[in-house]
Amino acid sequence: MRSLRRLLVPGVLVVVAVAILVSLGNWQLRRLAWKEDLIAQVAERPSLPPVPEDAIFTGDIADLHYRRIELSGHYLPEKEVRVFTSLPLGDARGPASGPGAWIMTPFALDAGGTVLVNRGFVPDRAEWAPPPEGTVEISGLIRPDDPPTWLTPDNKPGEDLFFSRSIAAISAAKDLAGPVAPMTLDLLASPDGPALPQAGETRMSFPNDHLQYALTWYGLAIALVAVFLMFAAPRLRGERAENDMQSGLR
């Protein structure tokens, strides 16, 4: 009984720890299902028919991510900004890669309102072509807003340099006329488009290590139980042997 009492507190702690580890493993499995669904959507959505133009103001944003849309209007080059990014060589679809920026140019819609258009990637210190003048039709993929986090560096609006594609921050800095669409647009690459900005660089690959993480959490739970059993077993055997010895003496 003494050993059982001594094992009570460690046993309770082990049960709590195992419950936490198993919960983390289950959470990673739910994340795995979500990530696999996201990957399937990303693979399918760009090939679907374009959504109506007014969907950028009236549609469900989550349902429109990576959907193609065609817009008519004109660029506002005087309100163009850069958003810092780094494009790994293996991810780039064109020759440009490395540290640089997305070129975000407001696009005034013929039907009214403004949408921020990511015209593509430009490496550091490189020059890029201005947007076409006059009324044009563009085609791109709808992307969600990208508000800053507490880790995001401070923007430099005086230098037209931002560190997230935050619609609110860019709209305020450039005094964009409303309504401003609650989503941005990644311009699709065009054979007759400029070399820079390098369009068609929508990030469509996602790390998917959730199964590995889940197995890690489950493995830690199993290892913790095994360590506790190795810790408890000799103490229980020792007490049993002591009890047997005392019984024999009687």
Side-chain angles (χ1 to χ4, degrees):
M1 290 297 294
R2 291 195 308 272
S3 295
L4 288 175
R5 286 195 295 269
R6 291 170 183 170
L7 292 173
L8 180 60
V9 172
V12 170
L13 294 176
V14 167
V15 169
V16 172
V18 168
I20 293 173
L21 292 171
V22 171
S23 296
L24 289 171
N26 293 341
W27 176 71
Q28 286 293 342
L29 289 181
R30 291 194 294 272
R31 293 282 294 173
L32 174 64
W34 169 81
K35 183 63 69 66
E36 290 178 341
D37 180 63
L38 174 63
I39 292 171
Q41 290 181 13
V42 169
E44 177 188 15
R45 287 187 174 187
S47 62
L48 296 175
V51 299
E53 181 172 312
D54 62 356
I56 61 172
F57 292 107
T58 62
D60 186 329
I61 297 176
D63 290 338
L64 296 176
H65 290 178
Y66 302 103
R67 287 294 302 271
R68 187 160 53 92
I69 192 169
E70 296 173 353
L71 304 174
S72 178
H74 62 277
Y75 284 106
L76 304 174
E78 70 279 5
K79 297 180 182 292
E80 188 170 83
V81 302
R82 295 168 296 140
V83 177
F84 175 81
T85 190
S86 183
L87 193 61
L89 178 61
D91 291 349
R93 293 178 175 82
S97 62
W102 301 119
I103 304 303
M104 304 292 296
T105 312
F107 188 80
L109 301 167
D110 288 342
T114 306
V115 61
L116 286 174
V117 175
N118 174 14
R119 295 201 295 124
F121 174 78
V122 171
D124 273 348
R125 299 183 180 85
E127 299 292 331
W128 65 91
E133 298 179 354
T135 299
V136 294
E137 293 186 354
I138 62 174
S139 180
L141 300 181
I142 293 173
R143 299 302 309 281
D145 189 14
D146 182 27
T149 68
W150 65 277
L151 291 173
T152 305
D154 292 335
N155 296 320
K156 299 179 180 179
E159 302 176 19
D160 292 333
L161 178 62
F162 292 76
F163 291 91
S164 71
R165 295 193 284 186
S166 170
I167 296 172
I170 296 173
S171 298
K174 290 302 177 179
D175 193 24
L176 297 183
V180 178
M183 58 194 76
T184 62
L185 188 74
D186 279 359
L187 197 65
L188 294 173
S190 172
D192 54 354
L196 294 176
Q198 185 170 276
E201 290 292 347
T202 302
R203 305 290 180 87
M204 302 184 72
S205 61
F206 306 91
N208 188 11
D209 299 323
H210 297 295
L211 180 59
Q212 176 182 334
Y213 295 150
L215 294 176
T216 299
W217 291 124
Y218 292 145
L220 288 173
I222 294 172
L224 182 57
V225 171
V227 169
F228 177 74
L229 292 177
M230 292 174 62
F231 167 79
R235 286 159 177 79
L236 293 174
R237 285 198 300 268
E239 181 169 329
R240 188 179 300 112
E242 182 180 344
N243 292 337
D244 292 343
M245 183 180 298
Q246 291 176 354
S247 298
L249 292 175
R250 294 194 193 99

